[in-house]
């Protein structure tokens, strides 16, 4: 159900993508909330590569090595999140990435989270996922799971930022 893969991309491909995401190349956009629009104290920076099945970034071709490994039949959304360092780990709310779909439809889609840097932040799964309760942020690690599984991210306290790329796609059956 939940798959964790370390060293997902070969070293050279990952370093190219990591340099894009962690240096001053990519365009980050301020997003005034994380969980709900009512959030007063939470924010993040995002970069949308794909939105509603349509490419939304001139940098989308840099994700080709990831997409070749994931082998999606269709991509719904790809979005990078950058959370800045906080004094204490802040846990965000449990959610699914495509909430407007019914749970049945969500279960047909897949979510993958690629960690761009190593830090003490993590992804946590809701109850019922005890064996994968937390997935630590390790550079070039990916976690893949059905899109109807609730999860949440956190901030980090040991690096300037925590950067992940979220992929929501329809899996190509092999």
């Amino acid at each position: 159900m939940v798959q964790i893969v370390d060293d997902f991309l070969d070293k050279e491909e990952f370093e190219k993508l990591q340099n894009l995401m962690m240096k001053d190349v990519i365009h980050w956009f301020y997003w005034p909330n994380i969980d709900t629009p009512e959030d007063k104290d939470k924010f993040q920076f995002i970069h949308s590569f794909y939105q509603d099945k349509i490419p939304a970034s001139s940098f989308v071709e840099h994700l080709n090595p990831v997409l070749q490994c994931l082998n999606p039949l269709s991509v719904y959304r790809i979005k990078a999140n950058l959370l800045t360092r906080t004094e204490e780990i802040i846990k965000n709310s449990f959610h699914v990435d495509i909430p407007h779909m019914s749970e049945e439809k969500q279960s047909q889609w897949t979510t993958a989270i690629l960690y761009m840097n190593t830090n003490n932040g993590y992804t946590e799964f809701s109850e019922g996922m005890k064996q994968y309760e937390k997935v630590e942020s390790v550079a070039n690690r990916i976690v893949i799971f059905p899109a109807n599984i609730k999860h949440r991210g956190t901030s980090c306290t040991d690096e300037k930022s925590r950067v992940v790329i979220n992929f929501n796609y329809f899996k190509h059956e092999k």
Side-chain angles (χ1 to χ4, degrees), residues 53-93:
K53 301 181 183 177
I54 299 170
S57 169
S58 60
F59 295 99
V60 74
E61 73 276 357
H62 294 276
L63 299 178
N64 285 343
V66 179
L67 294 172
Q68 286 173 355
C69 291
L70 294 175
N71 194 25
L73 187 60
S74 176
V75 172
Y76 182 77
R77 182 179 79 163
I78 304 173
K79 180 174 73 90
N81 296 333
L82 184 154
L83 293 171
T84 56
R85 175 177 47 217
T86 54
E87 286 186 31
E88 295 178 12
I89 296 279
I90 296 173
K91 295 179 180 182
N92 298 312
S93 296

Side-chain angles (χ1 to χ4, degrees), residues 98-131:
I98 40 181
H100 61 280
M101 286 186 190
S102 70
E103 189 170 344
E104 181 183 338
K105 280 196 174 193
Q106 288 172 10
S107 69
Q108 298 169 6
W109 289 81
T110 299
T111 295
I113 303 170
L114 179 62
Y115 301 93
M116 298 310 304
N117 65 325
T118 298
N119 57 74
N120 65 354
Y122 53 90
T123 301
E124 187 173 27
F125 291 96
S126 63
E127 290 191 39
M129 299 300 301
K130 291 299 181 193
Q131 80 186 90

Side-chain angles (χ1 to χ4, degrees), residues 34-36 42 91-97 122-127 129 133 149-153:
I34 295 174
D35 298 326
T36 67
K42 291 183 181 179
K91 295 179 180 182
N92 298 312
S93 296
F94 285 111
H95 67 280
V96 294
D97 288 350
Y122 53 90
T123 301
E124 187 173 27
F125 291 96
S126 63
E127 290 191 39
M129 299 300 301
E133 194 169 292
I149 295 178
K150 288 188 176 186
H151 61 283
R152 67 178 170 191

